Amino acid sequence: MFNLILFGPPGSGKGTQSEKLIAKYGLKHLSTGDLLRSEIANQTALGLEAKTLMDKGQLVPDAVVIGMIDAAITNHPKARGFLFDGFPRTKAQSEALDELLNKKGASINVLLALNVTEDELIKRLLNRGLTSGRSDDTKEDVIRARLGEYHNKTASVADYYNKSGKTVLVKGEGSVDEIFDSLSAEIDRRM
Ligand code: AP5
Ligand code: MG
């Protein structure tokens, strides 16, 4: 298996690059944000609970997202690998993910961290908010809350994987294709 974490703050391009990377490398895309938005669209109890937190720009509880990832991994026993997008976002999530993969005799091969300045992130998200229908993109205070959660709880996930030499920083500004080429080069070196 080849398992990749595409990492970075809100608006850094994780979703955009994931679409291209799964097409090129045949990995299964697991985005906890997308999974949560689909729970909201289906009006499940989990979705309703998550929506209140997401609308405020706060992380949903670890147990909720770990449960979703556990189920998704179990449901794709033949996957040649997973691309994790927006997960893990805390140390507890990182440890749980390592354990889930370990049970399959697998592990994370690399964490690619997209590096984008805060001004550019806010610009991209407000711009997407004009058309996305994502309620957490339209208000600048909610965007700032998301960035705050990232700095306080999530940024250290890159340090966690750096201890085993798996974290690689990639420039996240420039054209989508340029960034895709940089990410692909890092993957090719390890696959
Ligand atoms: P999630 O859905 O993961 O959102 P996010 O991390 O805030 O990130 P985004 O999806 O907004 O950005 P992205 O990095 O994917 O960038 P994109 O490619 O879209 O999470 C949402 C919420 O769910 C969280 O706040 C939390 O409440 C909850 N949640 C999710 N996972 C969780 C977890 N594990 N634990 C706890 N809670 C969790 O690009 C952004 C924009 O920029 C787009 O408009 C795009 O077109 C544009 N763009 C992309 N690349 C470029 C480029 N190179 N140049 C110019 N524009 C670009
Ligand atoms: Mg995304």
Side-chain angles (χ1 to χ4, degrees), residues 8-17 31-34 36-37 50 53-55 57-62 65 85-90 93 114 120 124-125 127-128 134 136-137 146 172-176 179:
S12 55
K14 302 183 295 294
T16 305
Q17 296 296 335
S31 156
T32 39
D34 290 349
L36 289 166
R37 281 184 289 277
L53 293 163
M54 290 166 76
D55 283 348
Q58 295 171 3
L59 294 187
V60 307
D62 286 333
V65 287
D85 161 4
F87 180 91
R89 265 167 142 105
T90 61
Q93 292 179 26
L114 292 166
E120 171 73 11
R124 287 186 191 177
L125 292 174
N127 186 44
R128 186 177 60 187
R134 266 183 66 169
D136 58 348
D137 279 347
R146 286 160 65 191
E173 294 186 40
S175 75
V176 168
I179 299 163

Side-chain angles (χ1 to χ4, degrees), residues 138-186:
T138 41
K139 296 194 199 88
E140 189 162 338
D141 59 333
V142 175
I143 291 175
R144 290 200 184 273
R146 286 160 65 191
L147 292 170
E149 289 279 80
Y150 173 79
H151 288 299
N152 294 332
K153 298 177 183 165
T154 304
S156 62
V157 167
D159 305 327
Y160 173 89
Y161 283 99
N162 201 30
K163 285 191 197 130
S164 42
K166 290 176 178 169
T167 293
V168 180
L169 290 182
V170 175
K171 187 173 164 224
E173 294 186 40
S175 75
V176 168
D177 285 341
E178 275 164 11
I179 299 163
F180 179 63
D181 288 345
S182 312
L183 294 169
S184 296
E186 295 297 342

Side-chain angles (χ1 to χ4, degrees), residues 4-159:
L4 157 72
I5 298 172
L6 189 55
F7 187 78
S12 55
K14 302 183 295 294
T16 305
Q17 296 296 335
S18 289
E19 294 301 328
K20 295 170 70 73
L21 291 170
I22 57 165
K24 178 164 180 183
Y25 295 103
L27 302 174
K28 171 73 191 155
H29 185 199
L30 293 184
S31 156
T32 39
D34 290 349
L35 291 169
L36 289 166
R37 281 184 289 277
S38 119
E39 296 281 340
I40 293 173
N42 293 324
Q43 299 190 309
T44 65
L46 190 158
L48 292 175
E49 183 199 340
K51 183 173 174 17
T52 321
L53 293 163
M54 290 166 76
D55 283 348
K56 288 191 276 197
Q58 295 171 3
L59 294 187
V60 307
D62 286 333
V64 171
V65 287
I66 292 168
M68 290 192 323
I69 290 290
D70 188 357
I73 290 177
T74 307
N75 288 339
H76 294 92
K78 294 201 179 119
R80 45 190 295 210
F82 295 100
L83 188 167
F84 298 95
D85 161 4
F87 180 91
R89 265 167 142 105
T90 61
K91 184 161 182 253
Q93 292 179 26
S94 310
E95 289 168 351
L97 176 60
D98 285 351
E99 215 169 289
L100 288 172
L101 291 174
N102 196 23
K103 276 197 274 183
K104 294 176 71 80
S107 61
I108 290 298
N109 295 78
V110 67
L111 178 152
L112 298 173
L114 292 166
N115 199 7
V116 179
T117 61
E118 192 133 325
D119 284 350
E120 171 73 11
L121 295 172
I122 292 171
K123 200 174 84 185
R124 287 186 191 177
L125 292 174
L126 283 172
N127 186 44
R128 186 177 60 187
L130 299 173
T131 53
S132 70
R134 266 183 66 169
S135 51
D136 58 348
D137 279 347
T138 41
K139 296 194 199 88
E140 189 162 338
D141 59 333
V142 175
I143 291 175
R144 290 200 184 273
R146 286 160 65 191
L147 292 170
E149 289 279 80
Y150 173 79
H151 288 299
N152 294 332
K153 298 177 183 165
T154 304
S156 62
V157 167
D159 305 327

